[in-house]
Every structure is written in structure tokens, then in C-alpha cells.
Amino acid sequence: MILTHPYEAQGREMVATQIRARGIRDERVLEAMCLVPRHEFVPADQTPAAYHDRPLPIGERETISQPYMVAAMTQAARLEPGDKALEVGAGSGYQAAILAQMGATVYAIEINSHLAQEARERLARLGYTSVEVFAGDGSEGLSLHAPYDVIIVSAAAPRVSPVLLGQLAEGGRLVAPVGTLRHQEVVVLTKDGGQITTERLDACQFIPLRGRGGWQEGQ
Ligand code: SAH
């Protein structure tokens, strides 16, 4: 086996024991999770834990999501190479890198401008040229590049903003954690013939989505 990064053995172990073992079957998702160097997306002091089965702090009191959750949401998005994808809540840029690794053109928006700048530099350094990172409130999407085949929301909200849903292309899939501040489930909304169908997946706990379409102060 040819190793493409120094932690690839750990990446393959992570995929086998945390992701495939829990029922993720899309080979393209599994391969992308093996290839994207997760240790590059965490602060240096977290490197030893980069492939562990949990979210990790990335500074600014934010976290990179648990690997399994990234895999489950990516599989649910049914991404095809060449799809145009939007990620809301780019954080470290890891989820955006997974989408890019699978052949999507990715627009990722992050409300914390410091994290956005770090993610932009990191993705450029790692050669992910098909990802563009924006700093700003993405709770109502990014109209500039709409419509999107795939929208992944990486922060939790009480509902999916209708403005965001309006940026989904015909046939598109939107994957988001929806619920209360402490407990959410991942929902998958598919737009077909102008109609929206909803599927519910795993229970989860994400950081709150801020901004206009997210949790307001005092809610
Ligand atoms: N997907 C990220 C982890 C996301 S954590 C990764 O792979 O590392 C959730 C992120 O959503 C946090 O960085 C937070 O700052 C961001 N966020 C919260 N509300 C937002 C909003 N309204 N628009 C854009 N980003 C938001």
C-alpha cells in the first residue's frame, strides 16, 4: 500500500473501526475519509487525538466534528463528482475538504473570521483548490453561488431557514442538524419537482448555529 500522508495508517484504522463498523457503506465517502489528512485540521497540541472517535477543539471555542458524524452527513448528501456544494460552518475546513476530495466544487462559509482565514490558508496549503472559504453569516446560505446540489449545515438550528432551502437546486440535498440547543437529529431534505421530502437520521449534538437563521440571543 502506498501511504499518501504520514498518518494514513491511522486514517484507515479510523475508517475501519469508527465509520465502516457503524454502517457507512459509500466507498467514495470511506476513501475520502482515508485520504484527507485530519491531523492537518486540528491544532498542533491535538495531533495525537486527530483520528480519535470524538470532536476536538480547534480554538475560538469551536470544534471539528466527530469523524463518524462527518461521514454520515456526507453519505446522506449523496454527492456526485462535479456537484456544487455549500457548507455552512466551515470551522477548520475539514468537512469542506472531504467534499472537495470527492470531486465537488465547494463554497464554505464561516461566521468567525479568524477561523475562516485559517481554514482558507490550510486548504490552500494542502492543495484543495476547489474550495472557496467565505467569512460571514451563512445561516441564510450564500446567494452568490446558489443554487447548490448539496448543502451541509455543520451547526445546529431550531429549523432549516427557508432562505437556505431556497438555495437548493432541483434534485438537491440539504443535510442539517435540527432540534433544541442540547439535542438534535440530522435531517436530509431533498428537493424533487419543487417538493421537499424529509428523512431523519442519527441523533447528534452540534454547536449552535448563530446569525439570522440560527439561534437568536436569549432563545
Ligand atoms: N465543519 C467544521 C466544524 C464546524 S463547528 C469542521 O469540519 O471543522 C461549527 C462552526 O459553525 C463553528 O466554527 C462556528 O463558528 C460556525 N458557525 C456558527 N454559526 C454560523 C453561521 N451563522 N454562519 C457560518 N458559520 C457559523
Side-chain angles (χ1 to χ4, degrees), residues 58 62-65 87-95 109-112 115 136-139 154-155 207-211:
I58 54 170
E62 303 297 356
T63 57
I64 178 173
S65 306
E87 191 205 4
V88 178
S92 68
Y94 180 69
Q95 169 74 76
I109 183 162
E110 168 54 53
I111 202 165
N112 180 310
L115 289 178
D137 177 8
S139 61
S154 296
I207 279 169
L209 183 71
R210 299 195 291 273

Side-chain angles (χ1 to χ4, degrees), residues 20-215:
R20 194 187 285 279
R22 287 200 188 108
I24 301 296
R25 288 288 177 266
D26 184 328
E27 291 298 332
R28 294 169 313 139
V29 174
L30 296 170
E31 189 60 12
M33 297 285 299
C34 286
L35 293 177
V36 174
R38 186 169 162 94
H39 60 281
E40 297 279 5
F41 292 82
V42 299
D45 63 345
Q46 296 292 335
T47 308
Y51 295 88
H52 291 183
D53 188 15
R54 55 188 166 92
L56 293 172
I58 54 170
E60 305 280 312
R61 291 183 297 146
E62 303 297 356
T63 57
I64 178 173
S65 306
Q66 179 196 23
Y68 168 75
M69 197 46 75
V70 174
M73 291 179 78
T74 308
Q75 176 171 272
R78 303 192 294 277
L79 193 85
E80 295 295 333
D83 273 358
K84 197 198 315 179
L86 173 69
E87 191 205 4
V88 178
S92 68
Y94 180 69
Q95 169 74 76
I98 296 286
L99 299 172
Q101 184 74 47
M102 292 177 67
T105 298
V106 186
Y107 300 97
I109 183 162
E110 168 54 53
I111 202 165
N112 180 310
S113 55
H114 176 70
L115 289 178
Q117 180 61 22
E118 277 189 355
R120 191 179 292 127
E121 286 170 8
R122 174 181 294 123
L123 289 161
R125 174 169 55 79
L126 295 172
Y128 289 102
T129 52
S130 61
V131 185
E132 199 175 329
V133 180
F134 293 77
D137 177 8
S139 61
E140 295 192 329
L142 179 67
S143 58
L144 184 63
H145 294 287
Y148 303 96
D149 304 299
V150 161
I151 299 177
I152 292 187
V153 185
S154 296
R159 70 195 73 82
V160 174
S161 149
V163 182
L164 186 60
L165 198 52
Q167 293 176 16
L168 199 58
E170 179 52 37
R173 291 81 60 201
L174 184 154
V175 185
V178 172
T180 64
L181 279 172
R182 287 176 170 277
H183 179 89
Q184 309 103 34
E185 52 189 5
V186 176
V187 300
V188 186
L189 308 184
T190 304
K191 193 182 271 187
D192 257 322
Q195 298 279 78
I196 303 293
T197 54
T198 306
E199 271 170 85
R200 285 167 205 289
L201 303 181
D202 307 69
C204 57
Q205 196 175 8
F206 274 79
I207 279 169
L209 183 71
R210 299 195 291 273
R212 280 170 59 91
W215 289 98

